[in-house]
Amino acid sequence: MGSPLLEVLDLRAEFRTSRGRLPVVDGVSFTLDTGGGLAIVGESGSGKTATALSLMRLLPDPPGRITGGRVLLRGRDLLALPEEALTAVRGRELAMVFQEPATALNPVMSVGEQIAEAVVQHRGVARRRVRPLVLESLDQAGVPEPETYLGSYPHQLSGGLRQRVMIAIALACGPSVLIADEPTTALDVTVQDRLLDLLAYLRHHLGLALLLITHDLGVVARLVDRVAVMYAGQIVETAPVAVFFRGPAHPYSRGLLQAARLEAVGPESRARRGGRPRLEVIGGSVPDLADLPPGCRFAPRCRWAGGGGPCWREVPGLREVGPGHLARCRRPGVGP
């Protein structure tokens, strides 16, 4: 097999605050192949969006700063590129659909103008020839009767249409990697379903590699092949989707599935519950990045860590628990 399309190696980023330097992305590594799909999941504040913004070198500075690692796209390190060269890569090869289209879109430019600007900048197409490409991208993004929306402004569109316009802007430049950050946020269930179908179609029919950032485990199996779970700035588990949903290895991952009622409940657990799955919660909260535990970052919330011992003293590394399945835990496979 050849090299992965996108390879992230030991990526690190921090926020500089009055309370010190907060490691929002701490040693994150993963790969993404051409046409592949990876979901990064976790609670709010786990570092998912900071990781995505760091890949694009869009982490706001100040207070953010990338402090280490490599981001290789087709073998070229994006973190080492000068800004002018990176600008040519953003959009053209690596595109991002942001979480809040209402704020990401320019309120004083029409839909057609915003897509045309991306095409002209990244594909070098003359203005007089850009209209067919704009319409094509809107059509690919599932916008009905795209001609009728060319002169519309973002505030005139529904939330679902604004999200599709964001996707159209990303598609207009023909990228090989699409990053979708919480793409279904604030959309009603029907619109969410259609948008997820669209992302699945784009991945499988256009050959896009998809990096999905989400807290919703329910959308993961529909869109990607692999899942990476983040907690307090670190990846604590990564596995093929089928393996993950069948039996997550990290206590935090299992807790997430149980909280969402998506876990594969074993016969002993089902017997204890009278044959019915019960909604579970993960006690406690994500640790303060300015005051992290000295050992495993999940130890204060893990019933298996006890009141002391190695989990509280030693920082666990990612260890292989199965083919393509890694977990950052001394006792992988136990409950939350």
Side-chain angles (χ1 to χ4, degrees), residues 34-308:
T34 301
L38 171 70
I40 300 180
V41 303
E43 295 173 87
S44 296
S46 61
K48 307 183 304 295
T49 295
T51 297
L53 292 175
S54 296
L55 300 183
M56 302 280 289
R57 273 174 53 186
L58 292 175
L59 197 68
D61 184 3
R65 182 177 65 175
I66 298 170
T67 58
R70 305 175 73 193
V71 177
L72 305 178
L73 181 63
R74 303 187 194 278
R76 182 168 51 166
D77 189 359
L78 302 186
L79 301 187
L81 291 180
E83 187 62 32
E84 183 178 348
L86 181 64
T87 300
V89 172
R90 289 196 199 111
R92 186 67 184 93
E93 298 182 57
L94 185 66
M96 185 167 178
V97 178
F98 295 92
Q99 183 173 350
E100 296 291 346
T103 55
L105 292 170
N106 190 325
V108 297
M109 291 179 66
S110 70
V111 165
E113 290 172 331
Q114 295 191 55
I115 301 174
E117 182 179 58
V119 173
V120 170
Q121 179 177 351
H122 292 289
R123 298 178 66 172
V125 179
R127 284 277 179 183
R128 65 181 182 278
R129 298 180 179 176
V130 79
R131 181 183 171 91
L133 297 176
V134 172
L135 293 173
E136 179 184 12
S137 64
L138 284 169
D139 182 64
Q140 287 180 327
V143 176
E145 300 180 1
E147 297 91 344
T148 63
Y149 293 100
L150 290 179
S152 300
Y153 289 86
H155 72 275
Q156 298 174 311
L157 306 178
S158 67
L161 275 175
R162 283 196 293 263
Q163 193 64 281
R164 288 177 185 269
V165 169
M166 286 291 299
I167 294 173
I169 292 173
L171 295 178
C173 300
S176 53
V177 180
L178 180 66
I179 302 172
D181 184 11
E182 301 281 9
T184 59
T185 297
L187 301 179
D188 64 50
V189 175
T190 302
V191 177
Q192 285 184 27
D193 195 58
R194 292 173 181 170
L195 191 62
L196 294 175
D197 285 343
L198 170 64
L199 290 173
Y201 173 85
L202 294 175
R203 185 191 151 201
H204 291 293
H205 291 269
L206 297 185
L208 280 175
L210 176 65
L211 179 61
L212 175 68
I213 308 297
T214 184
H215 66 276
D216 186 354
L217 287 166
V219 309
V220 170
R222 291 179 59 176
L223 295 181
V224 300
D225 307 309
R226 294 186 58 81
V227 58
V229 180
M230 283 197 74
Y231 184 78
Q234 295 180 326
I235 288 180
V236 297
E237 183 165 3
T238 180
V241 164
V243 172
F244 179 79
F245 281 99
R246 186 166 60 244
H250 196 281
Y252 176 64
S253 303
R254 190 159 179 83
L256 288 179
L257 290 179
Q258 288 176 337
R261 286 186 174 177
L262 294 171
E263 84 284 20
V265 181
E268 299 84 0
S269 177
R270 202 175 272 280
R272 289 196 303 270
R273 300 174 185 180
R276 296 184 302 276
R278 185 181 69 222
L279 183 65
E280 302 282 353
V281 298
I282 304 175
S285 58
V286 177
D288 185 346
L289 293 179
D291 186 24
L292 290 168
C296 174
R297 295 181 183 182
F298 187 64
R301 305 175 73 183
C302 181
R303 70 182 65 171
W304 299 95

